[in-house]
Each structure stands twice: as C-alpha cells, then as structure tokens.
Amino acid sequence: MAHELCAAYSDRWVRFHSLPGSKRYPETEDEYAVVLHRYNTVLDELFEGTDVHVVTVAWSWGPDGPEDPPRRREVHPEGSLWTTLAHEDDPDPELHSYTHLYADRRPWRPGTVDAILREVADDVLGGVIIGDSGLTRIHHPYDGGADVIATSPEARDRLRESHRDWLPRTPSGL
C-alpha cells in the first residue's frame, strides 16, 4: 500500500534518494551514516515536536504466521498488531496470504527509528510508514530512498528545494 502514495497524493508527493548518485544500497558504515542522515533530516523537518505513528509490515501464508521478515519483531518490538489484511482472491487456499500491520505511537526525535531504517535500507523491511496522527504528513522509506507526502504543495516544494541534491534526476521524480 505504501508504494501507492505517490499516485494518491501526487500534488503533495516528493521522492528523495538516500545515497549520492542514486545508489540503492549502502555498503559501508559511512554510507549507512549518509542514509540515516538523509532519512532523519527529512523526518525531523516533517515531525519535529510532534508524535509519530510508526507502522511496520510482515507477511505470512497463514492468518497467524509464521511471519516474514522475522527481524520485524526485533527492530520494532513496540509495534502492536493493528490489523491483518487477508489476500484470499485465489481459489487455491495455499496461495492465500496475509499482511500484518504493526503500529506504535512515539514522540519524534532523530534516531528513534534508526534500527527500522537500517533494515529498510538493506531491503529486509518493506512497507514502513511514519506519519502524524492525522496522516497529513507521511514518510515512506524504501531501499534507495523515501517517498514523502507533505501537508501541502507549498510544503512539498520547500522540502524539494531544501534537498535538491537528493532528488531523482528523472523528469517524473521517480
């Protein structure tokens, strides 16, 4: 669902890459530092002085697990099961899958979600969403960058201008 944000909120959406040259995966601790700096800088601009909801995702072939990725629980132990979405369209029950959403609420401060962000950067966790209580501001980190929904087109433009070097080089912004 998180990957659908850019279409649903195109007037407030901007994408940032997490490494110079649009490199997708960090390979050194210095590159991890760049990734975390970029994620935290934008997150701080969005959420400074507020609480955030952190949502992580796990998947399973049964309604009660076992879940993949197992590391989700390790890096987001505060997350309580919010809801489970059943994907049972296929007539073969062995092909039914389940998406489990875990959420918590916490005061925003830089570094508070670094363990989660490292797993995202390594493509271990996907579908992570960090947002305010009204979901008017959303940060969806992915391996290689983040999709951001700002409160308005003007707020999006200010973010975009502040971090021009982090923008994708393609005209579509993808």
Side-chain angles (χ1 to χ4, degrees), residues 139-172:
H139 186 277
H140 164 53
Y142 66 89
D143 55 309
D147 287 331
V148 174
I149 306 302
T151 56
S152 67
E154 296 79 20
R156 176 213 50 210
D157 292 346
R158 284 190 298 275
L159 276 171
R160 184 185 285 152
E161 192 59 35
S162 294
H163 308 293
R164 291 183 138 274
D165 292 344
W166 303 354
L167 297 170
R169 303 290 182 222
T170 60
S172 67

Side-chain angles (χ1 to χ4, degrees), residues 74-87:
E74 292 174 40
V75 297
H76 190 206
E78 307 88 346
S80 298
L81 182 62
W82 171 29
T83 192
T84 296
L85 306 172
H87 308 282

Side-chain angles (χ1 to χ4, degrees), residues 10-78:
S10 60
D11 64 324
R12 299 184 290 138
W13 167 82
V14 62
R15 173 170 284 177
F16 296 107
H17 285 171
S18 53
L19 285 168
S22 301
K23 183 176 179 181
R24 189 125 191 174
Y25 299 103
E27 297 178 54
T28 67
E29 284 306 312
D30 287 343
E31 288 180 336
Y32 279 104
V34 170
V35 168
L36 292 174
H37 167 74
R38 288 185 180 194
Y39 282 146
N40 278 291
T41 297
V42 173
L43 284 161
D44 204 39
E45 290 177 36
L46 290 169
F47 303 117
E48 182 179 32
T50 67
D51 284 354
V52 294
H53 292 272
V54 178
V55 179
T56 56
V57 180
W59 294 270
S60 67
W61 291 106
D64 300 317
E67 295 179 358
D68 188 41
R71 294 237 343 116
R72 190 224 48 90
R73 188 167 295 149
E74 292 174 40
V75 297
H76 190 206
E78 307 88 346

